[in-house]
Amino acid sequence: MSSDLSFISLVAGASPLVQLVMAALMLASVISWTMIFDRARVLKRARRAAEAFERRFWSGGDLGELYRELDRENGDATGMATIFHAGFREFARLKKNPDIEPMAVVEGARRTMHVAMNREMDGLENNLSFLATVGSTSPYVGLFGTVWGIMNSFHALGSVKQATLSLVAPGIAEALIATAMGLFAAIPAVVAYNRYSNDVERLNGRYEDFLDEFTTILQRQAHV
């Protein structure tokens, strides 16, 4: 009996539709774990990049030299460095025009930094929507497989004169595996989504604080 109720035998004995549901859930789980590890790597790198750039920015060095250093890094800058690079470049370009008011120069640089920040945030939020979708739908997909499997089990009992537990148990066990696989796919996705969403929000707050602080610095330099 134990061999008949092993995981592999139950999956192999399930109906084609239930097997399709299990395969879809397994694929969703594999993709989710891939994205979970990818987001962990991306967000960890973003935090380290933010900390490293803040140290460089507030070290008291010349901002023009910092801008040129980022230029020499050939586009390797990310996060705050990208926001700074975009804002300083636009500020320097607009300031060359004597017909533009100082506050217009600052506002132009600020808009450019907002565009750069939004692009950075889009990169950080990439794939989070998929994790949310897997976390919210997988239990229901698994439940659908379970309901379908149980329906088939009870339908098969219609041709049997006497129903026994040994006849019902394998079919119900096959069906319940779909629910278990749905939870297996959903729980890590939900936990990762909540964790990474919080990390993204914290980075967004750091980017916004830096943008405001840098804008204040540009306001002072615009009137020089």
Side-chain angles (χ1 to χ4, degrees):
M1 186 63 136
S2 60
S3 61
D4 292 336
L5 294 180
S6 66
F7 178 81
I8 296 177
S9 64
L10 289 174
V11 172
S15 65
L17 182 59
V18 177
Q19 288 180 341
L20 181 62
V21 169
M22 293 179 183
L25 291 172
M26 184 60 67
L27 178 62
S29 179
V30 171
I31 296 175
S32 293
W33 277 106
T34 302
M35 293 180 178
I36 287 170
F37 289 123
D38 176 71
R39 287 301 91 190
R41 176 182 57 81
V42 169
L43 292 173
K44 183 178 181 180
R45 184 176 62 185
R47 287 193 297 268
R48 288 182 174 178
E51 293 168 358
F53 180 77
E54 283 180 327
R55 287 194 296 268
R56 294 173 66 183
F57 183 83
W58 297 111
S59 64
D62 180 64
L63 296 182
E65 179 59 29
L66 177 58
Y67 172 79
R68 288 186 289 271
E69 288 178 3
L70 294 176
D71 253 353
R72 290 192 292 268
E73 292 177 3
N74 297 322
D76 290 338
T78 59
M80 284 186 189
T82 300
I83 297 170
F84 165 80
H85 187 272
F88 194 92
R89 179 182 58 198
E90 184 68 8
F91 177 81
R93 185 184 70 83
L94 294 176
K95 195 175 181 183
K96 291 178 182 177
N97 190 337
D99 298 329
I100 302 179
E101 294 292 329
M103 290 308 300
V105 172
V106 174
E107 186 58 29
R110 183 180 179 86
R111 287 196 299 269
T112 301
M113 286 190 289
H114 267 294
V115 172
M117 186 182 75
N118 289 335
R119 289 175 179 169
E120 291 296 312
M121 295 308 301
D122 287 342
L124 294 177
E125 293 172 349
N126 189 32
N127 296 329
L128 290 185
S129 60
F130 180 84
L131 292 178
T133 301
V134 171
S136 61
T137 61
S138 291
Y140 297 104
V141 175
L143 183 60
F144 169 76
T146 297
V147 171
W148 188 269
I150 292 176
M151 285 173 56
N152 287 339
S153 296
F154 281 107
H155 183 268
L157 291 178
S159 59
V160 179
K161 292 183 179 180
Q162 183 177 2
T164 62
L165 183 60
S166 60
L167 292 175
V168 179
I172 294 179
E174 293 167 5
L176 290 176
I177 288 180
T179 296
M181 293 181 69
L183 295 175
F184 179 78
I187 292 174
V190 170
V191 173
Y193 173 78
N194 291 334
R195 168 67 184 276
Y196 296 157
S197 294
N198 181 62
D199 290 344
V200 169
E201 285 298 321
R202 293 176 65 182
L203 282 169
N204 183 62
R206 293 180 69 175
Y207 291 168
E208 288 182 344
D209 290 342
F210 169 76
L211 192 153
D212 291 338
E213 292 167 345
F214 186 42
T215 299
T216 302
I217 295 174
L218 294 180
Q219 287 174 348
R220 292 197 295 266
Q221 293 192 0
H223 295 86
V224 175

